[in-house]
Amino acid sequence: MRVLKRVIARAGFLPGFSMLIWPVNSAAFAAARVRAGSGAVVPPRHFAWRATLTAKFLPRASYALTRRSALRLGFAGLTLPRFFMPAAQAAAQETESHGLSIFGDLAQPAGFSHFPYVNPDAPKGGEIVLQVSSTSGNQNFTTFNTLNTYILKGDGAAGMGLIFDSLMSGSGDEPDSLYGLVARAVRISADKTTYRFVLRKDARFHDGSPLTAHDVAFSLNILKVKGHPSIRQSLRDLEAAEAEADDVVMVRLKPHHSREAALIVAGQPVFSAAYYAGHPFDETTLEPPLGSGAYKVGPFDSGHYIAFDRVPDYWGKGLAVNIGQANFDRVRFEYFGDRKVAFEAFKAGVFTFREEFTSAVWATGYDFAAVKDGRVKRATLPDESPMGTQGWFLNIRREKFKDAKIRQAIGLAFDFEWTNANIMYGVYSRTTSFFQNSPMAAQGSPAPEEVALLEPFRGDLDPAVFGEVYVPPVSDGSGQDRELLRRAATLFSDAGCKRTGTLLTLPDGKPFAIEFLDFDNALEPHTAPFIKNLKLLGVEARYRVVDAAQYKRRLDDFDYDIVTSRFGLGLTPGEGMRSTFGSEAASLPGSRNVSGIAITAVDALIEKALVVDTRDQLTFICRAIDRILRSGHYWVPMWNKPNHLVAYWDLFGRPERGPRYDIGVVSTWWYDEEKAKRIHFAGR
């Protein structure tokens, strides 16, 4: 024993040192690329933190994908046996909590009864039918051929997050907090590198088998190795996940892990280890997987619809995080290849809830009989979450987009003022920032705190970063602002492009041709005048629509010139920035870094953002990142609005108020049988 003590002393071993890991939510990867002005929701695989199609609220800290016992002592890279520290002493150095928050500010106390935005007495029953309006993972808007949405392969079905529980579940009123679901508590080491999640012993899968720590460890480990690339990247700080008992899973994070790593871990779906012992995890399949959540897979027809049936004896229905939620007996998603056909289907009652993304339809299309006689209601639902980043993103992996002058010139050809007035009925505002409608958005000249962050990289950055932040110029609204087009032509010339007759050639002498790639034509009216102006400048631009499956493959492989994307980084940006702007993600197939941004200064600032202790520090870092990205002209920013425009057949009840940071329809609304009788709803 004396020898052992000397070895420990010489190694500098500190008793009580431990490591911890942070939770993630599958829905946290829900990236809603909502095309606000066009009516197209396009987030193919770009994960935003809004899970509009899931029954649980998840933290919106950064990408998607996003939900709800002795210490192992280490020195010199080794693991010591447990007996080096008594269990009682190890436990004394842990703190126990009923939830997790990035900055430690949980709004709900231990023992809370339910979230404040739900009706705890909401009735159960009925059905809600929706169109697919947002995606995550490998999901596709117009079809599906697999029920495995946690890998890259295949086109995943909508709503699969409904069937899986996670260690913890988020609150729609808090942007970066989780509360116990499968885990009744979490014990956190003093250095916040080891998290022990204590599981509820009554947690069950749908076949009645117990959900244990072994299933949790299996799930985290297999997602880290075989999950979708974006999930794997978000779990990069997960060092180990081990079952210490049937009801205790130990999660250890790497030293200097990101601030939100524990939340990322705690929000991941929990799979049945026994089920996947006989089913390959990394293959596509149409066999419904074994889940544990409030819903299970019901009837479906591949590529046409999928339904989820509420589990009457769901083990967690009485938990505070679930009270007043999952009220529909069935949640069904309908697939449509054409948005006009989908709107006609809604008018006929084929589906019963619709979020409207096309301003022209919202302004002129809701004049049919069911609206006039009150059977269909319209509402504007507020949303306090940041509006996110929406725009045409240029793929700078391609040589023709390498020069920032060329990228800026392309942006000057888009006349937002004309588009908003003539196509979108003036209801939108111009997006300017990668942190739109958030305190993280840069404004004016950099504050001293921002300059201090940027100064070490001054030699590598455009001098414009240290001046007034770039804001797209306001046009004269004519649709063909000559002054802006002259500025664009000058920028092309300064970049080495040459005009030969009506055509513009690149510095290498090749004709300058670009393609706007999409999977439907919803944005064609908005893009057509943009393309017209580009052609006036000599650029051969065109708008190309391919089928959704081909679109996803090309997006995964970065095989495009320009694509439309929308993502949200939330009120507490973190890990999502690494997957959206980080250099590593630029070459990761299926990543959210659609432009291919790879900037040393941005990488370094993201690493700082992931570990800072205060929101003020995070704000200045994000503003510095915003300045760098906006000066690079990697996108042509589109538009935004701070609410949800929804229409629905008058079949539903809803709480007095919704969650602050989510639309909350699938999770908190309920079916009202009396209303259905009153309007004589026949449905599909």
Side-chain angles (χ1 to χ4, degrees):
M1 194 63 178
R2 291 194 193 99
V3 173
L4 179 58
K5 288 180 179 178
R6 284 198 297 271
V7 171
I8 293 175
R10 288 174 182 171
F13 172 67
L14 300 176
F17 177 81
S18 59
M19 297 185 184
L20 111 138
I21 295 188
W22 299 57
V24 172
N25 202 310
S26 63
F29 301 103
R33 185 182 129 212
V34 179
R35 296 166 164 190
S38 70
V41 181
V42 187
R45 186 212 80 251
H46 305 319
F47 305 84
W49 283 87
R50 174 178 302 156
T52 55
L53 302 185
T54 179
K56 298 241 188 324
F57 292 109
L58 308 169
R60 278 194 211 67
S62 52
Y63 198 50
L65 298 170
T66 215
R67 202 181 68 172
R68 323 168 300 193
S69 175
L71 294 173
R72 296 192 180 277
L73 309 176
F75 70 92
L78 302 177
T79 301
L80 296 178
R82 278 196 246 182
F83 61 77
F84 287 128
M85 178 181 291
Q89 182 181 349
Q93 297 186 2
E94 293 179 325
T95 57
E96 183 169 305
S97 176
H98 65 294
L100 290 169
S101 176
I102 286 181
F103 292 114
D105 47 357
L106 291 170
Q108 300 301 320
F112 74 101
S113 59
H114 56 79
F115 290 128
Y117 51 81
V118 306
N119 173 6
D121 301 315
K124 308 292 185 183
E127 178 183 55
I128 185 170
V129 186
L130 312 95
Q131 183 185 3
V132 180
S133 62
S134 70
T135 63
S136 67
N138 62 1
Q139 292 171 336
N140 191 315
F141 282 103
T142 62
T143 189
F144 71 93
N145 54 32
T146 180
L147 301 183
N148 186 352
T149 59
Y150 297 99
I151 60 173
L152 182 61
K153 289 191 290 186
D155 299 303
M160 290 302 296
L162 294 171
I163 77 169
F164 296 109
D165 276 332
S166 51
L167 286 168
M168 292 187 159
S169 181
S171 165
D173 274 357
E174 300 170 70
D176 48 29
S177 296
L178 294 175
Y179 296 90
L181 178 54
V182 169
R184 64 173 177 82
V186 57
R187 296 168 183 162
I188 309 167
S189 66
D191 65 354
K192 295 186 178 180
T193 57
T194 301
Y195 288 70
R196 283 181 170 76
F197 294 93
V198 184
L199 276 53
R200 302 181 196 273
K201 295 185 178 181
D202 53 348
R204 292 287 184 275
F205 289 103
H206 293 152
D207 64 356
S209 60
L211 188 162
T212 72
H214 303 280
D215 298 299
V216 177
F218 163 79
S219 303
L220 293 172
N221 289 323
I222 202 164
L223 284 170
K224 183 176 174 65
V225 175
K226 296 185 177 182
H228 190 282
S230 293
I231 299 177
R232 296 201 308 268
Q233 187 180 44
S234 72
L235 291 173
R236 61 192 298 164
D237 285 337
L238 173 61
E239 188 168 88
E242 302 172 5
E244 295 186 331
D246 285 348
D247 63 341
V248 178
V249 62
M250 184 279 297
V251 172
R252 187 169 64 250
L253 299 178
K254 295 178 181 178
H256 312 297
H257 58 79
S258 73
R259 181 185 57 251
E260 62 184 314
L263 278 78
I264 292 174
V265 170
Q268 293 301 325
V270 178
F271 307 122
S272 165
Y275 174 84
Y276 284 104
H279 299 78
F281 178 81
D282 54 353
E283 295 295 333
T284 60
T285 179
L286 287 173
E287 176 182 327
L290 179 61
S292 61
Y295 289 89
K296 62 182 178 181
V297 176
F300 65 88
D301 182 5
S302 181
H304 295 94
Y305 73 87
I306 183 169
F308 297 88
D309 294 334
R310 188 170 61 85
V311 179
D313 59 348
Y314 168 47
W315 73 271
K317 62 184 177 182
L319 298 178
V321 293
N322 290 328
I323 291 290
Q325 302 189 64
N327 301 316
F328 296 106
D329 277 352
R330 174 168 286 180
V331 177
R332 176 176 168 127
F333 297 98
E334 294 281 347
Y335 282 82
F336 297 92
D338 185 285
R339 297 188 67 80
K340 293 181 181 178
V341 172
F343 185 51
E344 294 303 315
F346 172 73
K347 291 160 65 175
V350 173
F351 62 102
T352 54
F353 176 89
R354 172 182 173 89
E355 183 169 5
E356 186 58 70
F357 301 108
T358 305
S359 53
V361 174
W362 185 254
T364 65
Y366 287 85
D367 58 353
F368 53 94
V371 174
K372 294 176 180 178
D373 63 25
R375 287 176 295 149
V376 168
K377 302 291 187 183
R378 297 203 296 169
T380 300
L381 305 181
D383 187 346
E384 296 182 36
S385 60
M387 291 300 99
T389 300
Q390 178 174 313
W392 289 281
F393 284 78
L394 285 64
N395 184 5
I396 65 170
R397 300 172 186 85
R398 299 198 161 174
E399 188 63 33
K400 57 189 166 187
F401 298 128
K402 293 291 187 185
D403 194 319
K405 295 187 184 71
I406 288 177
R407 301 195 296 267
Q408 183 178 359
I410 291 172
L412 292 174
F414 173 56
D415 191 328
F416 167 77
E417 283 67 32
W418 184 92
T419 304
N420 191 36
N422 291 275
I423 297 178
M424 301 188 297
Y425 292 81
V427 300
Y428 293 96
S429 299
R430 184 75 189 267
T431 294
T432 60
S433 169
F434 286 84
F435 302 88
Q436 189 68 33
N437 294 354
S438 158
M440 285 33 177
Q443 296 183 13
S445 298
E449 293 87 346
E450 296 170 62
V451 173
L453 291 163
L454 294 166
E455 191 61 44
F457 310 100
R458 182 180 286 271
D460 299 324
L461 296 174
D462 186 324
V465 172
F466 294 86
E468 292 280 322
V469 68
Y470 182 80
V471 177
V474 176
S475 77
D476 61 10
S478 66
Q480 190 175 312
D481 189 314
R482 294 185 177 183
E483 174 59 30
L484 294 183
L485 293 179
R486 276 195 292 269
R487 285 171 56 184
T490 300
L491 285 167
F492 279 136
S493 177
D494 291 346
C497 298
K498 295 181 180 180
R499 188 70 178 259
T500 304
T502 60
L503 295 179
L504 188 71
T505 58
L506 292 162
D508 61 5
K510 295 179 181 178
F512 195 172
I514 58 177
E515 177 182 87
F516 292 80
L517 183 68
D518 215 326
F519 66 87
D520 68 21
N521 61 1
L523 276 177
E524 190 167 11
H526 311 70
T527 313
F530 187 6
I531 288 176
K532 180 182 177 182
N533 283 342
L534 287 170
K535 288 185 175 181
L536 289 174
L537 293 166
V539 179
E540 279 298 306
R542 65 170 182 159
Y543 186 79
R544 183 181 181 190
V545 176
V546 298
D547 67 77
Q550 182 182 357
Y551 180 84
K552 178 180 178 297
R553 286 194 296 272
R554 289 186 62 176
L555 217 56
D556 288 344
D557 295 336
F558 309 125
D559 181 18
Y560 51 83
D561 286 341
I562 301 176
V563 292
T564 305
S565 180
R566 182 182 190 275
F567 54 83
L569 295 168
L571 290 169
T572 313
E575 189 67 41
M577 291 193 291
R578 188 151 57 184
S579 61
T580 308
F581 311 132
S583 297
E584 182 181 343
S587 58
L588 185 68
S591 85
R592 298 167 59 193
N593 191 343
V594 291
S595 284
I597 297 166
I599 305 170
T600 301
V602 170
D603 291 338
L605 289 171
I606 290 173
E607 293 307 312
K608 285 180 178 289
L610 295 176
V611 298
V612 292
D613 297 323
T614 70
R615 193 173 291 277
D616 284 346
Q617 291 174 309
L618 178 62
T619 298
F620 287 123
I621 292 172
C622 291
R623 289 175 182 173
I625 292 172
D626 196 30
R627 290 180 185 281
I628 296 172
L629 295 176
R630 287 161 68 175
S631 73
H633 306 285
Y634 302 106
W635 64 325
V636 180
M638 286 182 169
W639 45 81
N640 68 87
K641 58 180 177 57
N643 50 46
H644 302 274
L645 305 176
V646 303
Y648 55 92
W649 285 82
D650 192 19
L651 308 170
F652 310 116
R654 52 177 168 143
E656 292 183 7
R657 76 159 178 93
R660 294 177 61 192
Y661 301 116
D662 200 285
I663 191 170
V665 174
V666 173
S667 53
T668 66
W669 288 25
W670 60 87
Y671 183 81
D672 189 318
E673 191 171 349
E674 290 303 315
K675 287 184 177 181
K677 291 178 180 178
R678 187 161 56 245
I679 68 171
H680 306 289
F681 180 74
R684 50 187 169 74

